[in-house]
Amino acid sequence: MEKEAKIYIAGHRGMVGSAIYRKLKKEGFTNFVTRTSDTLDLRNQQAVADFFEQEKPDYVFVAAAKVGGIIANNTYRAEFLYDNLQIQNNIIHQSYLNGVKKLMFLGSSCIYPKMAPQPLKEEYLLTGLLEETNEPYAIAKIAGIKMCDAYRAQYGCNYISVMPTNLYGYNDNYHPQNSHVLPAMIRRFHEAKENGAPAVTIWGTGSPKREFLFADDLAEACYYLMLNYNEAGHINIGTGEDLSIKDLAYLVKDIIGYTGEINFDTSKPDGTPRKLMDVSKLQSKGWKYSTTLAEGIKLAYQDFLNNHNHLAER
Ligand SMILES: NC(=O)C1=CN([C@@H]2O[C@H](COP(=O)(O)OP(=O)(O)OC[C@H]3O[C@@H](n4cnc5c(N)ncnc54)[C@H](OP(=O)(O)O)[C@@H]3O)[C@@H](O)[C@H]2O)C=CC1
Ligand SMILES: C[C@H]1O[C@H](OP(=O)(O)OP(=O)(O)OC[C@H]2O[C@@H](n3cnc4c(=O)[nH]c(N)nc43)[C@H](O)[C@@H]2O)[C@@H](O)[C@@H](O)C1=O
């Protein structure tokens, strides 16, 4: 990417988009085009066509999506399928029509079969049934990978797909029901500490295992791959290390300094038992994460205290 190139970050206000935006600014890029969802609804085909025709970006990061945790995915199944297909179809097709030089599509580790062998290698895609709670979201993300590959095969477009593991970081969503597990725990343990509550309830059995990557590390990886990866087929982005939800709860509890008990609400879904990323392809390209989970949780908690504590209802 040339330093003066025009870069469109779709979803630049979100957790991931804002991390990519910060990283590119730090690297000396200055020519950005951005729109909020209020001014450009990416589900609207004509509006996206007009936007690309007017702005003609050189490079595109697709970090706009309908995103949420296990309950949001399971509840808003139609929106997770429709919104995500519309957003990615519109951006990818208009990028092709308007001569975008390179595009990065962000998917998710939920594309892999629920019972795939661990760690999850890229080649396990479409080898089994998906996890039920996030099947609509996963189907949309799989369509995004295949769309990038099809546009590469038929039209020669340099569109790449990256599959991040579970993420957390600055500017996360702290909604009590719709968020992912880590921001949910940060908020719940913090509020319990503030209120002197005797116990905190965690969803599910606590036995599922998850891997977590700090969003600023993800942004580093996205930048690195935008410069160094030009292949069909997707690439995993993660740490290659996981822990149980129960162990995560005790880690967050310690960092926040909550001294009460932890209960498990087994009426809530566990989701996929495990989704540990195989990151050997990523490491062979020369990238590895740098922020440990404990460091990252401390940074995210500080951001929660500074910026989200008063309005955690997004
Ligand atoms: N969070 C996670 O754990 C993971 C995320 N990912 C992927 O990373 C990407 C970014 O996720 P994340 O940053 O966490 O999500 P956020 O919810 O923080 O941000 C999503 C962004 O998408 C934009 N957006 C949503 N709908 C529309 C729309 N109809 N029109 C225009 N813009 C829209 C929003 O824009 P606005 O702010 O203007 O409303 C928002 O800024 C997604 O593709 C997600 O699938 C992958 C793995 C894990
Ligand atoms: C990134 C990924 O995220 C989603 O999948 P998920 O990994 O299941 O995401 P999650 O973070 O919501 O839950 C992780 C685990 O944690 C447990 N859990 C405990 N207590 C809370 C809790 O309070 N909130 C939440 N959300 N989960 C909790 C929860 O029961 C589950 O076992 C996809 O839908 C999709 O969006 C996607 O791609």
Side-chain angles (χ1 to χ4, degrees):
M1 285 193 296
E2 316 78 37
K3 285 280 144 76
E4 67 286 358
K6 192 172 198 178
I7 301 172
Y8 171 44
I9 306 169
H12 73 288
R13 279 202 303 195
M15 180 175 71
V16 169
S18 60
I20 292 174
Y21 200 13
R22 277 195 300 281
K23 171 65 183 168
L24 293 175
K25 284 187 199 159
K26 200 172 126 197
E27 292 294 331
F29 293 88
T30 53
N31 190 4
F32 296 100
V33 51
T34 56
R35 292 287 187 281
T36 64
S37 58
D38 303 336
T39 53
L40 175 61
D41 184 345
L42 290 166
R43 295 169 301 184
N44 181 327
Q45 188 178 25
Q46 189 58 54
V48 178
D50 294 345
F51 166 74
F52 271 84
E53 175 73 29
Q54 184 194 329
E55 294 290 351
K56 300 271 183 207
D58 297 309
Y59 296 91
V60 172
F61 290 85
V62 189
K66 174 91 181 163
V67 179
I70 191 165
I71 294 288
N73 270 264
N74 201 23
T75 307
Y76 307 108
R77 298 178 73 87
E79 287 174 62
F80 272 81
L81 188 52
Y82 177 80
D83 287 17
N84 286 320
L85 284 173
Q86 290 291 104
I87 290 169
Q88 67 204 38
N89 282 350
N90 287 337
I91 296 176
I92 293 170
H93 189 61
Q94 290 305 324
S95 292
Y96 156 61
L97 292 180
N98 289 279
V100 165
K101 292 180 187 168
K102 188 166 182 180
L103 173 147
M104 173 177 282
F105 170 71
L106 282 109
S108 158
S109 59
C110 70
I111 57 159
Y112 291 110
K114 176 173 185 166
M115 292 309 189
Q118 305 286 323
L120 298 161
K121 292 183 191 294
E122 284 85 355
E123 69 231 40
Y124 297 161
L125 181 66
L126 293 174
T127 56
L129 295 175
L130 297 164
E131 155 62 22
E132 172 66 15
T133 53
N134 56 31
E135 189 186 66
Y137 177 76
I139 294 274
K141 294 296 188 185
I142 294 169
I145 298 172
K146 295 299 176 189
M147 184 123 168
C148 288
D149 286 351
Y151 278 59
R152 175 182 293 276
Q154 186 175 348
Y155 304 131
C157 298
N158 191 7
Y159 296 170
I160 60 172
S161 300
V162 300
M163 297 303 121
T165 190
N166 290 39
L167 304 169
Y168 68 102
Y170 302 131
N171 208 14
D172 208 340
N173 172 5
Y174 290 94
H175 189 280
Q177 272 79 46
N178 294 335
S179 64
H180 289 105
V181 61
L182 234 170
M185 283 185 182
I186 288 176
R187 179 176 179 172
R188 210 170 295 147
F189 281 113
H190 171 76
E191 290 179 350
K193 181 176 134 182
E194 294 291 290
N195 301 332
V200 160
T201 301
I202 300 302
W203 298 353
T205 59
S207 62
K209 296 184 91 174
R210 291 291 183 274
E211 171 184 339
F212 296 94
L213 180 69
F214 193 57
D216 281 43
D217 283 23
L218 173 77
E220 300 270 345
C222 289
Y223 178 63
Y224 186 81
L225 292 171
M226 200 64 168
L227 301 187
N228 296 299
Y229 185 76
N230 299 293
E231 295 166 27
H234 58 287
I235 180 164
N236 292 339
I237 304 181
T239 63
E241 298 159 21
D242 64 359
L243 79 174
S244 71
I245 295 299
K246 184 177 179 183
D247 288 346
L248 178 72
Y250 281 99
L251 179 60
V252 176
K253 176 184 181 228
D254 279 356
I255 288 170
I256 289 180
Y258 173 70
T259 52
E261 301 294 313
I262 297 179
N263 300 325
F264 292 89
D265 175 1
T266 54
S267 70
K268 293 282 197 307
D270 270 346
T272 311
R274 194 178 187 195
K275 41 181 177 174
L276 176 65
M277 289 295 215
D278 184 314
V279 287
S280 46
K281 183 172 173 181
L282 180 64
Q283 289 185 351
S284 76
K285 304 279 172 204
W287 190 87
K288 193 171 187 299
Y289 79 101
S290 56
T291 309
T292 67
L293 184 55
E295 283 166 1
I297 294 172
K298 285 177 197 157
L299 294 171
Y301 182 42
Q302 200 53 53
D303 180 59
F304 171 81
L305 292 175
N306 293 343
N307 301 313
H308 302 279
N309 195 12
H310 57 294
L311 49 77
E313 289 296 338
R314 180 151 77 107

